[in-house]
């Protein structure tokens, strides 16, 4: 899975599953160059998943902020 950075700056997060090691690998990419990675044991992913689910629930309960158009002179 490849997820584009919210800043739309050419960075991406890549997530891969490695069943032979029971690990997920989260890596950051700039174009086609890996700039860093972290290996997560399958047991640690539940905590990360909980954080993501909690954040999604909170985001769903709050109306998005819409910026006002710039004032015309």
């Amino acid at each position: 899975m490849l997820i584009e950075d919210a800043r739309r700056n050419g960075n991406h997060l890549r997530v891969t599953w490695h069943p032979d090691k029971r690990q997920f690998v989260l890596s950051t990419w700039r174009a086609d160059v890996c700039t860093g990675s972290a290996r997560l044991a399958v047991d640690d992913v539940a905590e990360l998943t909980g954080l993501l689910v909690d954040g999604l629930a909170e985001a769903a309960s709050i109306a998005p902020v819409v910026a006002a158009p710039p004032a015309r002179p």
Side-chain angles (χ1 to χ4, degrees):
M1 169 186 287
L2 197 63
I3 303 168
E4 186 175 4
D5 188 293
R7 296 169 289 187
R8 306 295 188 245
N9 59 6
N11 292 334
H12 290 80
L13 176 68
R14 181 177 170 192
V15 182
T16 55
W17 165 240
H18 299 270
D20 55 321
K21 295 183 178 166
R22 295 181 48 83
Q23 295 178 345
F24 289 89
V25 176
L26 282 67
S27 51
T28 52
W29 292 79
R30 176 80 174 158
D32 60 349
V33 177
C34 178
T35 59
S37 66
R39 295 180 177 270
L40 302 178
V42 71
D43 296 337
D44 296 328
V45 174
E47 187 175 355
L48 173 60
T49 301
L51 174 64
L52 294 172
V53 169
D54 291 347
L56 282 172
E58 184 177 331
S61 69
I62 301 171
V65 176
V66 179
R72 294 188 179 194

